[in-house]
Amino acid sequence: MQPNNVFNVRRMQLYLQKHFTDHYRFYGMGMLTIFGLMTGIAVLMITVARDPFRQLSDLASFYYIGLFFGGMLFTSRAFNELGSKEKGVDFLMLPASQFEKFITLLLISSIGYFIAYHISCYLSFKIIENAQQAAIGVKIEKDYLFLDNPKEKVYIYYGYFILQAAFLLGATYFHKYSFIKTVLSVFVFGFALWLINCVIITLIFGFGNEFWKRSVPFLLVGKLEGGPFSWHTTIYLIPKWLQDTYLFMIKFVIAPVLWTIAYFRLKDQEI
């Protein structure tokens, strides 16, 4: 079994080399664009508008926009070869199993982009900090920890990997304009869940008041009570065991399930 495992790793390495050979221009230009926009806009705000970034939290929006937009864009191009018959045949006939190809592209689009993006952000923030200190003499206070303070910010990253898995699944279904089509699909899916929540809330609380307007889907409902001059809101929250189930699914279930569906979708792919 051991020689076979080594051979599989070697095939994955060869496929990884071929993938980067075919796509290095896109990856390189994409990372340079994200880095350039993040750095250039901030430096222009400092040097032209003389508007300093006094705290690291002022730059957090740049970081999160680049993380999500860039990550979803890169992931949506994971299987773009399947959009062309010639490239699709070449992709399917490569001397590597579909599982090896899938794992390789999964690692590139998830862990690979995640690491490359954070290196890019570190360099960008250093340039912004030095540019600001040189231009207007204002230091950036390190008041923001991206994975801590509060610790709930870690759920942003759980959300990122869930979306990344959804876009990887979309890449196996939509081989052309995958990014746009997957965005629309995610929106339609979210809208359908919202409608289902509205129906459930209406059936539980009745048709007299529009409780669905004051609800967080499948989590809580705010009921206005009192009057005519004094009002208070009573919050109805789902049980603790259901909250824990949601958190467990967000952490450990949803992304792996979407990755698994994406793999079987790729496995059944035909040109």
Side-chain angles (χ1 to χ4, degrees):
M1 293 294 292
Q2 189 68 23
N4 189 43
N5 290 337
V6 173
F7 180 66
N8 289 342
V9 171
R10 179 58 179 165
R11 287 192 304 188
M12 290 179 64
Q13 290 175 343
L14 291 173
Y15 175 68
L16 180 62
Q17 292 173 5
K18 183 182 186 306
H19 180 80
F20 273 112
T21 301
D22 294 340
H23 298 86
Y24 74 92
R25 289 188 180 88
F26 171 75
Y27 289 139
M29 290 179 64
M31 291 306 302
L32 283 175
T33 300
I34 294 172
F35 173 79
L37 286 174
M38 184 184 303
T39 308
I41 292 173
V43 170
L44 280 175
M45 292 174 66
I46 294 168
T47 57
V48 177
R50 315 297 288 183
D51 187 13
F53 297 96
R54 301 189 181 278
Q55 299 173 328
L56 188 60
S57 56
D58 296 335
L59 292 167
S61 58
F62 290 89
Y63 167 81
Y64 288 119
I65 291 172
L67 176 66
F68 278 83
F69 179 77
M72 302 311 110
L73 181 61
F74 274 69
T75 301
S76 67
R77 290 188 47 96
F79 305 106
N80 69 316
E81 294 97 336
L82 298 175
S84 167
K85 186 173 182 178
E86 293 77 12
K87 292 182 179 179
V89 171
D90 180 57
F91 174 82
L92 295 175
M93 296 300 292
L94 285 172
S97 69
Q98 297 294 73
F99 180 74
E100 292 162 356
K101 297 171 189 173
F102 178 79
I103 289 296
T104 301
L105 292 175
L106 173 61
L107 292 175
I108 291 173
S109 61
S110 58
I111 305 301
Y113 175 79
F114 199 71
I115 294 174
Y117 179 73
H118 280 83
I119 294 173
S120 174
C121 278
Y122 176 80
L123 295 175
S124 178
F125 288 173
K126 282 295 182 182
I127 293 173
I128 294 169
E129 183 178 37
N130 292 333
Q132 177 166 296
Q133 197 163 356
I136 55 181
V138 178
K139 291 185 177 181
I140 298 178
E141 179 187 348
K142 305 298 191 298
D143 69 324
Y144 195 83
L145 298 176
F146 288 96
L147 288 172
D148 202 356
N149 191 29
K151 293 183 181 298
E152 287 75 14
K153 281 189 291 192
V154 72
Y155 286 98
I156 295 176
Y157 297 94
Y158 287 124
Y160 166 79
F161 281 107
I162 289 173
L163 267 181
Q164 187 272 337
F167 273 75
L168 190 67
L169 176 60
T172 64
Y173 278 93
F174 312 119
H175 305 143
K176 293 182 178 179
Y177 310 109
S178 176
F179 180 80
I180 297 174
K181 292 178 180 178
T182 306
V183 168
L184 292 175
S185 298
V186 170
F187 174 79
V188 170
F189 179 76
F191 184 69
L193 289 180
W194 178 77
L195 287 179
I196 293 172
N197 175 76
C198 292
V199 172
I200 294 174
I201 295 299
T202 302
L203 291 175
I204 294 175
F205 291 93
F207 294 87
N209 295 283
E210 297 173 331
F211 291 107
W212 54 270
K213 288 184 177 180
R214 300 186 297 274
S215 69
V216 177
F218 305 103
L219 184 62
L220 63 84
V221 176
K223 181 180 180 182
L224 285 176
E225 296 178 332
F229 303 108
S230 177
W231 293 87
H232 66 275
T233 302
T234 301
I235 302 296
Y236 294 89
L237 194 64
I238 61 174
K240 182 67 166 56
W241 66 268
L242 193 53
Q243 296 178 44
D244 293 338
T245 302
Y246 281 1
L247 290 177
F248 179 81
M249 293 179 65
I250 289 172
K251 289 180 178 180
F252 306 113
V253 176
I254 299 177
V257 167
L258 292 175
W259 286 331
T260 303
I261 297 173
Y263 164 66
F264 283 105
R265 168 64 182 172
L266 178 66
K267 187 177 179 181
D268 295 336
Q269 189 67 56
E270 295 179 356
I271 298 297

